Amino acid sequence: MNKVTAFISALMLLGSLPAMAKKTSEWYRLIPGDTVAVEASSPVTRLYGLAHRDRLSRMGVPVTQIIEERPRFAHRILNHWDNPDGTVERGYAGKSIWRWDELPETVSPRYADYARMCAAVGINGAVLNNVNASSTILSHDYLVKVARIADVLRPYGIRVYLSANFAAPMQLDSLPTADPTDRNVRQWWNRKADEIYRLIPDFGGFLVKANSEGQPGPCDFGRTHAQGANMLARALKKHGGIVMWRAFVYSPADADRAKQAYIEFQPLDGQFDSNVIVQIKNGPIDFQPREPISPLLLAMPGTRTMPELQITQEYLGHSNHLAFLAPMWEEFFSQVDPSTQTALAGVANIGDVPNFTAHPFARANWYAFGRLAWNPGLTSGEIAREWVTTDLGVTDLAATEKIVRMMLGSREAVVDYMMPMGLHHIFAFGHHYGPEPWCDVPGARPDWLPKYYHRADSTGIGFDRSPTGSDAAGQYPDSLARLYSDPRTCPENLLLWFHHLPWDYRLPSGEILWDSLCRHYEAGYQYTLGMLRTWEEVEYAVPDKELYSDVLRRLMTQARDAQWWKDACLGYFSTFHKLPYPEDITPSVHSLDEMMRIHLPITNFECPTPQILDAVR
Ligand code: GCV
């Protein structure tokens, strides 16, 4: 542990006792013997124990002493951003697995398949619908459908939760207000909670996105987030339910977007009821390929908080790119002490395609989320090795190691070819797939546009969040604030997140900023070619040949996209200065003009250029 993380951990342990997770009663033991026996606290934890035993046996690891396991987080929850019409917001694996139109009469066998996959990694909660919530889900007809899904998930230990629209009393029953201090509104929610628990006795609770991106919330009625959350929490309390209240808020205020969640939520610390958990995205903006941790996670010692991770690859190449996310989450947990957090949420990458995730390797991210929610101390390497053996079905050791190595570097490669050195949000408008650092949409909010974030001009590039700029760095504990505020101490991988620096700024390595940026883009692109090479090398060991070809196709698309990102971003940035490309960078294939003419969204899987394979061989 370095000094900074040690300091943060100590600070959090001292300061956040009220937010500590309750010790979970879940446990299981594997007892060595001719047949490894499983003891467990319940039928569900027995399932977890059996899955563990199976994992070890498939990996050839003998059980020589008692293994006892307890989860770190009591709530290990997938958030589905699925809509009642079957679409999935930021979903890249087909339509929703929940077939609302067939329910409650027809219950798809895939619900149980899904539940088995979740239980194998200890996931114990599912929010079934999008946080941009339609009130319909709370209508009686839909609650009956939800209850059927809950019946299927229950034996696997998965409790069902729903995203609640704060204006539901107005939208479903025409109440004149949704003000949380209004008696009729409170009664409406109490009655709704009673109705839900009559149908689903183990209902988990509500997830709420309020006063964010157009969603209604208590602030519409002059009330605070705490007042809104507590009203719902009180309706659920006698039934044992919780409220997960999201802190993903940013108003069109003057403040730097990276500062806004903290500005709005930190003053409310200590005002939330005990069955409210404030759910905070891992970084201060929005699931970018790399962000610093959200300062809010370190600043609410009197409130239960939970990180929200994104498993679906909204900003990491959708289901076309191989990006194993465990290293990102490992990096996150090296800075946020898990014992200060009450629960863990992950935005699901699951849809109704046969393998659930479209990209076969995206299943590894679902798997990794569950494993880390159970034990955030696991390393990415351990998780990758388990997944390659048990899910991909590779038994050859040399091939396993090659695939694991390829997976472990894949997230950093995406950062490199998309947004290295702390750059962020330079995606094309709307779909967040390709690069558009030049993007201008007349009338759009400035903080939805790339130029707001990269700030490239003739003087340099990057967002000044030091004390001379927006001072977002000042929202972190002192030692971290100092570290981030000075470009000489700021970690290089966050440099342009916190600083606007000249193109020829000299880095501690002696290299100038422009050269370093070019080398990152090049390294990311080269990594994608390396993944193609590796995949061809391990073909013999991949048992499912269709899966093999599918991954190969996607890797070709990824290499094409990495080239696209590199040419587009470097081409665009080079219009601001006269510095040459470093000699060891492969020349651009496409001109900036060509790049600016690419129009998205991509509506179908694009055929990769065969030249990519020539480049690899
Ligand atoms: C569900 C980002 C995404 C939205 C998402 C939102 C959120 O803005 O682009 O699709 O909405 O985050 O997390 O609420």
Side-chain angles (χ1 to χ4, degrees):
M1 196 185 276
N2 66 29
K3 273 194 196 143
V4 176
T5 49
F7 167 79
I8 295 170
S9 302
L11 186 90
M12 295 192 68
L13 280 174
L14 279 176
S16 66
L17 290 176
M20 297 277 268
K22 251 208 268 159
K23 206 164 185 221
T24 159
S25 55
E26 297 170 276
W27 60 265
Y28 65 82
R29 285 187 203 110
L30 304 188
I31 320 276
D34 288 344
T35 312
V36 175
V38 179
E39 284 179 1
S41 57
S42 72
V44 168
T45 47
R46 188 175 154 71
L47 275 185
Y48 300 159
L50 292 171
H52 191 158
R53 185 178 73 179
D54 180 55
R55 197 157 52 227
L56 293 179
S57 128
R58 293 177 66 183
M59 295 182 71
V61 179
V63 177
T64 53
Q65 52 187 7
I66 294 179
I67 297 175
E68 180 170 314
E69 286 272 330
R70 290 169 191 271
R72 172 60 261 166
F73 299 112
H75 306 289
R76 308 175 291 278
I77 303 182
L78 285 180
N79 290 186
H80 292 267
W81 286 355
D82 296 20
N83 299 311
D85 67 1
T87 57
V88 181
E89 182 156 349
R90 310 304 177 186
Y92 313 105
K95 305 264 281 181
S96 171
I97 49 170
W98 318 122
R99 297 178 173 255
W100 299 111
D101 48 344
E102 295 177 353
L103 284 161
E105 291 80 16
T106 306
V107 175
S108 158
R110 301 213 72 201
Y111 304 159
D113 296 343
Y114 158 85
R116 261 190 295 277
M117 298 267 296
C118 288
V121 286
I123 290 167
N124 69 353
V127 183
L128 301 186
N129 63 314
N130 193 354
V131 288
N132 291 328
S134 158
S135 296
T136 312
I137 200 85
L138 294 178
S139 66
H140 186 76
D141 287 356
Y142 268 79
L143 290 176
V144 172
K145 296 170 193 266
V146 171
R148 290 297 290 126
I149 297 177
D151 291 343
V152 180
L153 305 192
R154 188 169 299 115
Y156 299 94
I158 299 162
R159 289 173 88 171
V160 155
Y161 299 75
L162 292 176
S163 292
N165 182 307
F166 199 78
M170 300 168 76
Q171 294 175 7
L172 288 180
D173 283 317
S174 305
L175 263 64
T177 179
D179 183 340
T181 64
D182 183 283
R183 212 168 125 252
N184 294 329
V185 172
R186 288 203 307 268
Q187 276 176 358
W188 188 93
W189 283 107
N190 290 341
R191 277 198 302 272
K192 188 51 78 181
D194 294 345
E195 179 189 352
I196 294 175
Y197 280 92
R198 269 194 303 279
L199 291 163
I200 312 162
D202 57 350
F203 179 67
F206 294 135
L207 171 65
V208 186
K209 171 175 177 176
N211 294 115
S212 162
E213 298 186 333
Q215 292 302 303
C219 310
D220 300 340
F221 310 96
R223 312 297 171 196
T224 67
H225 284 280
Q227 285 174 298
N230 293 344
M231 174 196 57
L232 295 180
R234 286 166 200 172
L236 298 175
K237 186 153 184 143
K238 69 171 177 198
H239 305 287
I242 60 169
V243 171
M244 294 163 289
W245 191 269
R246 296 176 90 224
F248 177 66
V249 292
Y250 60 105
S251 48
D254 291 341
D256 170 5
R257 175 167 163 187
K259 293 176 72 177
Q260 294 191 24
Y262 183 104
I263 291 172
E264 215 167 315
F265 272 79
Q266 202 288 324
L268 300 175
D269 185 32
Q271 295 180 27
F272 291 93
D273 282 7
S274 62
N275 60 332
V276 175
I277 314 177
V278 175
Q279 182 166 313
I280 303 169
K281 288 190 181 183
N282 61 294
I285 294 213
D286 190 13
F287 300 134
Q288 297 302 291
R290 172 169 276 112
E291 296 196 31
I293 51 170
S294 165
L296 195 57
L297 283 162
L298 309 180
M300 300 200 74
T303 305
R304 290 179 192 278
T305 56
M306 62 191 284
E308 177 180 314
L309 309 175
Q310 193 177 46
I311 311 169
T312 189
Q313 291 170 230
E314 174 179 358
Y315 295 105
L316 288 116
H318 298 184
S319 49
N320 285 343
H321 293 197
L322 193 165
F324 180 51
L325 301 181
M328 169 152 82
W329 302 331
E330 193 181 348
E331 180 177 306
F332 173 79
F333 281 121
S334 73
Q335 297 174 70
V336 173
D337 180 347
S339 71
T340 62
Q341 304 297 316
T342 304
L344 192 68
V347 181
N349 59 352
I350 294 156
D352 69 351
V353 295
N355 70 357
F356 282 111
T357 57
H359 199 310
F361 276 75
R363 284 163 67 103
N365 292 331
W366 176 7
Y367 183 91
F369 169 78
R371 294 292 285 133
L372 285 169
W374 183 274
N375 178 5
L378 289 171
T379 66
S380 306
E382 286 167 320
I383 297 171
R385 220 159 270 122
E386 285 177 15
W387 181 79
V388 170
T389 312
T390 59
D391 197 43
L392 203 57
V394 172
T395 50
D396 180 274
L397 287 185
T400 300
E401 284 317 304
K402 281 187 184 173
I403 299 170
V404 166
R405 223 175 311 124
M406 165 178 99
M407 290 168 75
L408 291 181
S410 59
R411 177 268 182 152
E412 198 60 41
V414 178
V415 174
D416 276 340
Y417 64 70
M418 286 186 181
M419 280 162 254
M421 303 185 82
L423 286 175
H424 51 290
H425 228 312
I426 57 178
F427 295 96
F429 193 74
H431 52 71
H432 301 159
Y433 186 75
E436 245 182 40
W438 52 81
C439 172
D440 241 335
V441 177
R445 287 175 57 142
D447 58 2
W448 280 355
L449 296 173
K451 288 178 185 171
Y452 174 90
Y453 297 98
H454 65 64
R455 307 205 164 199
D457 58 20
S458 59
T459 67
I461 181 169
F463 198 131
D464 183 2
R465 294 193 168 106
S466 75
T468 58
S470 77
D471 200 22
Q475 291 182 333
Y476 290 87
D478 282 354
S479 66
L480 211 44
R482 273 198 301 277
L483 186 92
Y484 289 152
S485 294
D486 184 342
R488 287 163 309 175
T489 54
C490 182
E492 205 172 288
N493 60 19
L494 290 174
L495 199 56
L496 302 177
W497 184 285
F498 286 107
H499 299 278
H500 187 270
L501 296 170
W503 296 102
D504 60 356
Y505 175 79
R506 185 108 7 226
L507 299 163
S509 62
E511 201 174 30
I512 61 165
L513 177 63
W514 168 246
D515 287 357
S516 183
L517 261 184
C518 290
R519 292 214 169 85
H520 278 285
Y521 277 102
E522 176 73 13
Y525 169 62
Q526 289 298 337
Y527 198 91
T528 61
L529 299 184
M531 290 204 289
L532 270 164
R533 250 177 249 125
T534 301
W535 194 241
E536 292 206 314
E537 281 165 26
V538 301
E539 178 177 3
Y540 72 93
V542 178
D544 181 337
K545 294 305 166 201
E546 247 177 66
L547 177 149
Y548 174 82
S549 311
D550 184 17
V551 172
L552 189 70
R553 228 156 41 93
R554 290 176 201 271
L555 285 173
M556 284 195 264
T557 301
Q558 184 168 3
R560 178 211 60 189
D561 290 350
Q563 174 100 59
W564 171 27
W565 272 93
K566 171 175 170 265
D567 289 359
C569 294
L570 293 181
Y572 173 73
F573 293 143
S574 65
T575 62
F576 295 102
H577 58 75
K578 299 204 160 30
L579 295 166
Y581 284 92
E583 273 168 16
D584 50 343
I585 298 300
T586 50
S588 295
V589 173
H590 310 282
S591 71
L592 181 57
D593 276 356
E594 274 177 81
M595 299 285 85
M596 290 174 80
R597 278 199 301 272
I598 296 184
H599 284 301
L600 299 173
I602 294 173
T603 48
N604 49 12
F605 195 79
E606 285 200 335
C607 210
T609 50
Q611 292 91 312
I612 288 174
L613 272 187
D614 294 342
V616 174
R617 288 180 186 128

